[in-house]
Amino acid sequence: FIDVGGKPVAVTFSPGTPTLETVPEEYRATFEAATDLGPSGSEVDLEKLASLKPDLIIAVFLQDDFDQVGEQLQSIAPTVFFNNTTEWRTTAAGIAEASNEADALDGKVAEFEEHLTDIKQTYSETIEDFTFVAVNRYASSEAGTIAVDSMGCEEILKEDVGLDLNN
C-alpha cells in the first residue's frame, strides 16, 4: 500500500516483527505518522480505529483473526481482507485495486522484474548449483526452535528467483 503511494492512518505491529528502527528509511515517516492499533489483527483497538474514520480498511492477517474481528471492521468502513498466506502478487494487486492505485502498482512490478532479472543474471551459477532451505524462528517459539519457512519471501526465492528450496 505504501509502495503505491498510500498513506495509512493506522497500522499494527505484531510481536516479533521488525521494530520501527528496522523499517526502511523511506517508509519510516509514514509508519511514524500512522496510529498504532495494537499487535495483531485480532487484537486491533477497534474504538481507536473507528475514531480515525478510515475510508478503507485493508486487513492482511490470518483468517482466524479476521473471523474474530471482520464484522466489526466492516461496520467501521469498507474492508478488504487478504489472508497473509495469499500469494503476494494477488495481495498486492487487490490492495492496489481497492485503493485506486493499480497504475502505480504496474510501475512497482516493472521495477521488481528489473531487480529480479539482475539477481538471476548476477547469481545464475549459485542459483543453479546449490540447494537451499528457508528457515524462520518465530518470536513465539522456544529458544533454538526453527521452522521451515513457507510464505512471504520464500515464495519469491523459489518461484521468481528459481532457488531450489529443499522443502
Side-chain angles (χ1 to χ4, degrees):
F1 180 63
I2 295 169
D3 274 334
V4 295
K7 301 279 188 226
V9 296
V11 295
T12 59
F13 271 105
S14 298
T17 60
T19 62
L20 193 55
E21 294 78 36
T22 63
V23 170
E25 194 170 324
E26 64 267 24
Y27 302 126
R28 235 176 261 160
T30 302
F31 273 87
E32 288 173 342
T35 300
D36 184 353
L37 294 175
S40 70
S42 65
E43 298 177 49
V44 67
D45 185 330
L46 294 166
E47 288 182 26
K48 191 185 287 186
L49 175 59
S51 74
L52 297 170
K53 300 182 183 348
D55 297 317
L56 175 69
I57 297 172
I58 300 171
V60 182
F61 39 80
L62 292 173
Q63 182 69 52
D64 289 345
D65 288 345
F66 188 74
D67 290 345
Q68 292 177 43
V69 297
E71 287 182 23
Q72 294 144 308
L73 294 175
Q74 292 168 355
S75 73
I76 295 169
T79 302
V80 293
F81 167 70
F82 299 94
N83 190 320
N84 69 356
T85 61
T86 301
E87 194 269 338
W88 75 270
R89 290 177 201 261
T90 302
T91 300
I95 291 171
E97 183 178 328
S99 60
N100 296 317
E101 297 290 353
D103 290 341
L105 178 62
D106 291 342
K108 289 296 181 179
V109 169
E111 285 178 30
F112 172 78
E113 296 296 337
E114 286 178 36
H115 289 300
L116 190 58
T117 298
D118 290 345
I119 290 168
K120 288 169 142 181
Q121 289 173 349
T122 303
Y123 300 101
S124 62
E125 286 184 31
T126 303
I127 292 168
E128 274 189 40
D129 295 345
F130 289 88
T131 299
F132 301 85
V133 65
V135 295
N136 194 346
R137 183 187 174 279
Y138 297 94
S140 61
S141 68
E142 295 291 323
T145 302
I146 60 171
V148 174
D149 204 354
S150 62
M151 60 188 221
C153 293
E154 190 244 319
E155 73 186 41
I156 294 170
L157 294 172
K158 185 175 185 175
E159 296 169 20
D160 296 318
V161 175
L163 292 186
D164 178 4
L165 294 173
N166 193 15
N167 54 342

